[in-house]
Amino acid sequence: QLQLVESGGGLVQPGGSLRLSCVASGFRVGPHTVGWFRQAPEKGREGMACISGRSDVINYADSAKGRFTISRDNAKDTVYLQMNSLTADDTGVYYCAAVWDPYATFCSLDDVQGRYEFRGQGTQVTVSS
């Protein structure tokens, strides 16, 4: 079964940090571009960061620049999202999505229909004092 499994979410105080992990199961994540997305009840879905298979293409949402870092370890079939200086606005369900694209020259922060093939169930991040 092909799937992505996220972990690392939780409750953190404002200013704190979390590292999210996205592990691919049933396929090798290496040739896939992977994005991290956030869904919040009043804000909808927002793409936070994406990374190509060789890590040579990386994009961040403006709200993530300077605070979040996306990285990957293809040997472990895992993509990470390090989140620092968290605020209440970062609260939401974070999920990862992947698309097969071994020669990617671009990665999208829009998870529109057909752009990404696999999605995880997400992990809840709550930033609150």
Side-chain angles (χ1 to χ4, degrees):
Q1 185 176 3
L2 309 179
Q3 60 179 352
L4 296 169
V5 180
E6 303 92 340
S7 63
L11 174 64
V12 62
Q13 292 186 342
S17 299
L18 285 174
R19 188 174 82 153
L20 307 184
S21 297
C22 168
V23 180
S25 176
F27 67 101
R28 302 308 308 271
V29 80
H32 292 75
T33 289
V34 176
W36 278 100
F37 300 86
R38 176 174 72 200
Q39 285 192 308
E42 299 181 351
K43 297 183 180 179
R45 180 169 56 200
E46 179 181 13
M48 306 309 301
C50 60
I51 185 169
S52 63
R54 293 176 291 186
S55 303
D56 53 351
V57 178
I58 293 176
N59 284 330
Y60 292 100
D62 288 343
S63 60
K65 289 178 182 177
R67 301 188 303 129
F68 293 5
T69 302
I70 190 170
S71 62
R72 64 192 297 155
D73 185 342
N74 289 339
K76 296 182 179 180
D77 291 320
T78 302
V79 178
Y80 305 98
L81 185 67
Q82 176 68 43
M83 305 188 297
N84 300 327
S85 303
L86 288 165
T87 72
D89 287 343
D90 294 314
T91 295
V93 176
Y94 286 72
Y95 72 93
C96 58
V99 60
W100 189 86
D101 192 357
Y103 307 109
T105 58
F106 168 78
C107 71
S108 176
L109 294 177
D110 291 324
D111 187 17
V112 297
Q113 187 174 1
R115 185 154 290 173
Y116 284 90
E117 298 171 292
F118 309 108
R119 294 168 186 81
Q121 294 298 310
T123 184
Q124 176 71 44
V125 171
T126 302
V127 184
S128 175
S129 57

